[in-house]
Amino acid sequence: MDKREIKSIIEALLFTWGDPLSLEDIASIIEIDKNKVKEIIDSMIDEFNYQRRGIQIIQMNNKYQLSTRPEHYDWIKKLCSPKKNKSLSNAALETLSIIAYKQPITKAEIESIRGVKCDKALSTIIEKNLVKEVGRLEKTGRPILYGTTDEFLKYFGLKSLNDLPQIDKLSDHENNTA
Amino acid sequence: MDKREIKSIIEALLFTWGDPLSLEDIASIIEIDKNKVKEIIDSMIDEFNYQRRGIQIIQMNNKYQLSTRPEHYDWIKKLCSPKKNKSLSNAALETLSIIAYKQPITKAEIESIRGVKCDKALSTIIEKNLVKEVGRLEKTGRPILYGTTDEFLKYFGLKSLNDLPQIDKLSDHENNTA
Amino acid sequence: MKYNVILETFEGPFDLLYHLIEKEEVDIYDIPIAKIADQYIEYIEQMKDLDLDITSEFLVMASHLLEIKSKMLLPKKEPEGEQLELEEVDPRQDLINKLIEYKKYKEAASKLKSKEKVHSKVFFKPQEELDNFLEKDEPVLEGVKLWDLIDAFNKVISKNKKNGKKVNIKEIKRDEITIEESIENLKSIMKRKRKVKFSELFNNNMSISTIVVTFLSILELIKNKFIIVIQKKNFDEIIIKINKT
């Protein structure tokens, strides 16, 4: 099977599946080494961008999904009215960013950073599947630990957690130990 | 707007719409003469074929739709193989869940919630005796109303439909344990 | 100090404090506590006047600020006879650490917000119908838990419904029922009843467009030879029968 054909099949799989599809699944279907598949998809992503295709391949951790491009939003809006997805409140965004950078983290820790309760914000972002329970802290009360989901990456267009905006490293250690 | 950009937008429109989209609709969205659009789509069809893309543009009368290629059938089938699809497909499960919570409900209502057609999914779950016709809506066309069967209750170990977990209580539950 | 625009709502005490520090353009590492504490309290008073909801966290912070302020005013006691070489801890230090930590995430949140804005502008496509690939006799519910069902429901109702409805480009009212749906309805009625009176298929509540659609479906089914239409004589009731061929 030549590379062109593999790309073609991958495009067909992503198109059919619609939802995020994992590298493992793709590799096992076309029976090709995972790393090789990753390499091919990476080059597909570049090609789609270079050729200014109407669709793009987005990546979240090791999952891939087809989507339209943000710059075509106004055109597509003329075709169908997107159900207005309310954007996140500041409280939800703050809570989410704390979880994103400090995960896994308990609710108490989040609240101590924010200085306020965050039950409501937390339940909003759990409901939106941006955050999930990732375990329990092995101490009194076994509090829930929260972490972000793949949906979180997708929501903000991040390939992985490494893609998170850099925040000031300066304050992190120096001051905590002060 | 250059040709490349128009093609890009058309691809995005077809991708988003999913169903057959008419030449007229496309032309009116991108505000370009119908004949010109037709010419562009014709050349897109050729390009997709020439480049051996994973998806193709199919044409029926004056409507266009994206689809996979017949020669990739076996690969796509593997995507839905028992491993991946041991149980109900996403579509069927979603349809089932809507019926469970919103019954009695018509097909049109289910489709408006899911945003996509559900004929196949519906016939699957009817065939598996999880859902049945429970009556007719007394309005135009007397559409069929669907509801879940005893088999459905039995499978999920529910005594009655009242036993179905309340949806809006779910998130509370998650957070109360936090 | 008067605040003209104070309707801004704050996420919490840190948010408010941070706002004051920014507004006064003071060094976050060397906060003039007396000044900031006064402003903070003044702010809270105004929030009260405006009947804004002041959560206890704001009040706790107010008393904390006052405590720091008073500590800083106190002359440092030098315990006689004891030569403590311990470095004097700045009473503000803990607060400053927390503020800086908070600032980090506040900034990150605003960066995420701009990403959100861009990426909420993409559309996805729904999964293709994959049931074609299911084997007929496969046990379908194997491994499906009640929670899977609920998850599926939650997913579907929270999904960004881009295909939900099409903006009618030409401002034509969309049919209440499509021909396809109408044909399906008719087919199932015919399968059940085998034979119906033409008039039974219509009623007074039908809109014009539905009547037309229903009529078109009948024509379509006649064309497909799914049904046959019989009228014994003029003005007699038209009978529609399922075509057994």
Side-chain angles (χ1 to χ4, degrees):
Chain A
M1 210 159 35
D2 70 357
K3 220 176 200 168
R4 186 65 257 150
E5 180 63 9
I6 296 173
K7 287 181 180 174
S8 190
I9 295 168
I10 292 174
E11 186 175 9
L13 294 176
L14 292 176
F15 179 85
T16 306
W17 196 245
D19 290 329
L21 187 59
S22 74
L23 191 58
E24 287 76 15
D25 283 339
I26 298 171
S28 89
I29 287 168
I30 49 183
E31 290 159 16
I32 286 179
D33 175 64
K34 236 172 71 175
N35 295 323
K36 182 77 189 154
V37 173
K38 180 156 174 41
E39 197 182 287
I40 292 177
I41 297 182
D42 282 345
S43 81
M44 286 173 74
I45 292 175
D46 290 343
E47 277 169 32
F48 278 39
N49 291 335
Y50 179 74
Q51 296 167 3
R52 289 169 57 207
R53 291 269 312 270
I55 51 181
Q56 61 179 349
I57 300 176
I58 56 169
Q59 178 189 354
M60 55 226 91
N61 285 333
N62 269 333
K63 292 182 176 170
Y64 300 89
Q65 184 174 15
L66 290 179
S67 84
T68 59
R69 294 174 183 280
E71 58 264 38
H72 292 148
Y73 179 77
D74 288 332
W75 300 103
I76 300 170
K77 223 173 57 181
K78 287 174 80 176
L79 174 69
C80 51
S81 47
K83 194 171 128 198
K84 195 81 181 132
N85 247 353
K86 258 179 66 191
S87 49
L88 294 170
S89 68
N90 284 338
L93 276 166
E94 275 183 29
T95 307
L96 197 50
S97 70
I98 293 169
I99 296 172
Y101 288 92
K102 307 261 304 181
Q103 59 189 309
I105 186 172
T106 65
K107 185 159 79 79
E109 289 171 303
I110 301 167
E111 289 176 345
S112 118
I113 291 173
R114 288 195 63 220
V116 278
K117 291 260 173 226
C118 66
D119 304 72
K120 205 171 150 240
L122 197 55
S123 76
T124 305
I125 54 183
I126 288 172
E127 222 161 82
K128 286 190 169 246
N129 194 24
L130 300 170
V131 158
K132 64 175 183 206
E133 188 178 327
V134 292
R136 297 271 178 166
L137 196 61
E138 288 310 331
K139 58 167 235 190
T140 329
R142 304 192 67 238
I144 296 174
L145 289 165
Y146 295 97
T148 53
T149 61
D150 285 347
E151 184 67 30
F152 163 82
L153 296 175
K154 182 169 140 186
Y155 188 85
F156 292 104
L158 307 168
K159 287 197 189 75
S160 72
L161 288 174
N162 294 332
D163 236 16
L164 277 172
Q166 287 278 310
I167 51 174
D168 228 5
K169 287 272 164 57
L170 178 113
S171 36
D172 206 9
H173 296 289
E174 283 179 37
N175 288 287
N176 284 346
T177 51
Chain B
M1 209 159 38
D2 70 358
K3 221 175 202 170
R4 186 65 256 152
E5 179 65 7
I6 296 173
K7 287 181 181 176
S8 191
I9 294 167
I10 293 174
E11 185 176 7
L13 293 175
L14 292 176
F15 176 83
T16 309
W17 191 240
D19 291 325
L21 188 59
S22 73
L23 192 56
E24 287 76 16
D25 283 347
I26 297 171
S28 90
I29 287 168
I30 50 183
E31 290 159 18
I32 286 180
D33 174 65
K34 235 174 70 172
N35 295 323
K36 182 80 189 150
V37 172
K38 178 152 177 42
E39 195 182 290
I40 292 177
I41 296 182
D42 283 344
S43 81
M44 286 173 75
I45 292 176
D46 290 342
E47 276 170 33
F48 277 42
N49 291 335
Y50 179 73
Q51 295 167 3
R52 291 168 57 205
R53 292 269 311 270
I55 51 182
Q56 59 180 345
I57 300 177
I58 52 174
Q59 179 186 355
M60 50 224 98
N61 291 329
N62 265 333
K63 292 185 171 176
Y64 300 90
Q65 184 175 10
L66 289 180
S67 84
T68 54
R69 293 175 183 279
E71 60 263 38
H72 292 148
Y73 181 86
D74 288 335
W75 300 104
I76 296 168
K77 196 171 162 190
K78 282 179 84 177
L79 180 65
C80 321
S81 66
K83 173 201 158 272
K84 189 95 214 126
N85 225 348
K86 186 182 299 159
S87 47
L88 284 179
S89 68
N90 279 349
L93 192 60
E94 280 183 18
T95 306
L96 182 60
S97 74
I98 294 168
I99 295 173
Y101 279 98
K102 300 261 186 185
Q103 59 189 302
I105 186 170
T106 65
K107 184 161 79 77
E109 290 171 308
I110 300 168
E111 289 176 346
S112 102
I113 293 173
R114 283 195 63 218
V116 278
K117 291 262 174 224
C118 66
D119 305 71
K120 257 266 129 52
L122 194 55
S123 71
T124 303
I125 53 181
I126 289 173
E127 205 171 279
K128 302 293 175 188
N129 195 25
L130 296 166
V131 159
K132 64 176 182 202
E133 188 179 327
V134 294
R136 294 273 174 167
L137 195 61
E138 287 312 327
K139 61 165 238 191
T140 329
R142 304 193 65 242
I144 299 174
L145 289 165
Y146 296 95
T148 50
T149 60
D150 288 346
E151 191 71 16
F152 167 84
L153 294 178
K154 203 170 105 192
Y155 177 83
F156 288 107
L158 303 168
K159 286 195 198 70
S160 74
L161 287 174
N162 295 333
D163 272 2
L164 265 180
Q166 295 260 299
I167 289 292
D168 42 354
K169 294 236 177 95
L170 290 178
S171 42
D172 284 351
H173 165 78
E174 278 176 42
N175 289 290
N176 286 344
T177 55
Chain C
M1 183 85 27
K2 285 283 163 253
Y3 303 103
N4 294 321
V5 187
I6 65 162
L7 280 172
E8 208 177 330
T9 55
F10 291 94
E11 294 298 332
F14 288 143
D15 196 22
L16 173 51
L17 261 184
Y18 182 65
H19 167 80
L20 296 173
I21 289 165
E22 287 236 295
K23 195 171 63 65
E24 290 299 309
E25 292 175 355
V26 296
D27 182 1
I28 195 164
Y29 292 97
D30 187 20
I31 302 170
I33 278 291
K35 187 177 182 188
I36 295 291
D38 289 347
Q39 287 189 11
Y40 183 95
I41 287 157
E42 194 172 336
Y43 207 109
I44 299 247
E45 289 303 321
Q46 299 213 24
M47 281 165 80
K48 269 187 196 158
D49 291 345
L50 285 167
D51 279 337
L52 289 179
D53 193 26
I54 302 169
T55 54
S56 59
E57 290 103 343
F58 281 97
L59 303 175
V60 170
M61 177 61 78
S63 68
H64 187 50
L65 286 172
L66 290 177
E67 187 194 340
I68 298 173
K69 181 179 164 185
S70 62
K71 267 189 189 157
M72 295 193 68
L73 290 174
L74 283 178
K76 294 192 177 65
K77 282 184 200 151
E78 298 286 347
E80 281 171 40
E82 272 183 73
Q83 296 285 320
L84 278 181
E85 281 297 310
L86 279 176
E87 205 186 321
E88 190 73 34
V89 177
D90 187 331
R92 299 172 300 180
Q93 197 55 56
D94 188 44
L95 180 70
I96 289 169
N97 289 344
K98 285 190 157 170
L99 261 174
I100 287 167
E101 176 85 347
Y102 174 75
K103 174 175 178 256
K104 241 171 37 179
Y105 298 109
K106 190 180 164 63
E107 284 168 359
S110 90
K111 284 182 186 162
L112 285 179
K113 199 186 180 79
S114 55
K115 283 187 172 289
E116 177 192 34
K117 212 174 159 192
V118 173
H119 288 277
S120 62
K121 290 188 173 176
V122 304
F123 292 79
F124 301 96
K125 75 178 274 299
Q127 189 160 89
E128 297 293 304
E129 291 279 359
L130 300 175
D131 300 78
N132 302 347
F133 298 96
L134 275 180
E135 300 296 329
K136 281 270 187 250
D137 48 356
E138 237 173 272
V140 282
L141 277 180
E142 197 179 322
V144 178
K145 297 277 178 307
L146 187 54
W147 289 101
D148 296 325
L149 188 74
I150 294 155
D151 283 349
F153 185 73
N154 275 332
K155 194 176 144 204
V156 78
I157 54 175
S158 64
K159 211 185 254 176
N160 186 359
K161 230 168 284 123
K162 51 263 174 191
N163 284 2
K165 69 167 180 278
K166 182 178 168 191
V167 169
N168 285 299
I169 299 155
K170 294 167 222 116
E171 296 296 325
I172 295 169
K173 245 177 124 188
R174 197 191 164 105
D175 294 336
E176 294 153 47
I177 176 166
T178 66
I179 294 201
E180 287 84 347
E181 286 166 356
S182 173
I183 288 174
E184 281 311 309
N185 284 338
L186 272 176
K187 272 186 173 173
S188 74
I189 290 172
M190 292 313 302
K191 276 182 193 156
R192 238 169 354 111
K193 298 194 167 176
R194 318 301 296 174
K195 187 169 115 180
V196 291
K197 289 178 188 156
F198 183 82
S199 59
E200 271 179 59
L201 297 175
F202 298 89
N203 66 51
N204 293 337
N205 301 328
M206 279 185 167
S207 68
I208 299 281
S209 77
T210 307
I211 291 170
V212 172
V213 165
T214 307
F215 188 67
L216 287 174
S217 328
I218 293 172
L219 294 181
E220 185 68 22
L221 288 178
I222 293 171
K223 200 181 97 192
N224 295 342
K225 302 202 168 65
F226 186 82
I227 53 174
I228 47 175
V229 177
I230 303 160
Q231 189 182 31
K232 294 257 169 66
K233 54 179 192 276
N234 273 353
F235 308 113
D236 211 338
E237 177 74 59
I238 297 170
I239 304 291
I240 299 176
K241 276 172 75 175
I242 193 157
N243 187 18
K244 290 278 275 183
T245 47

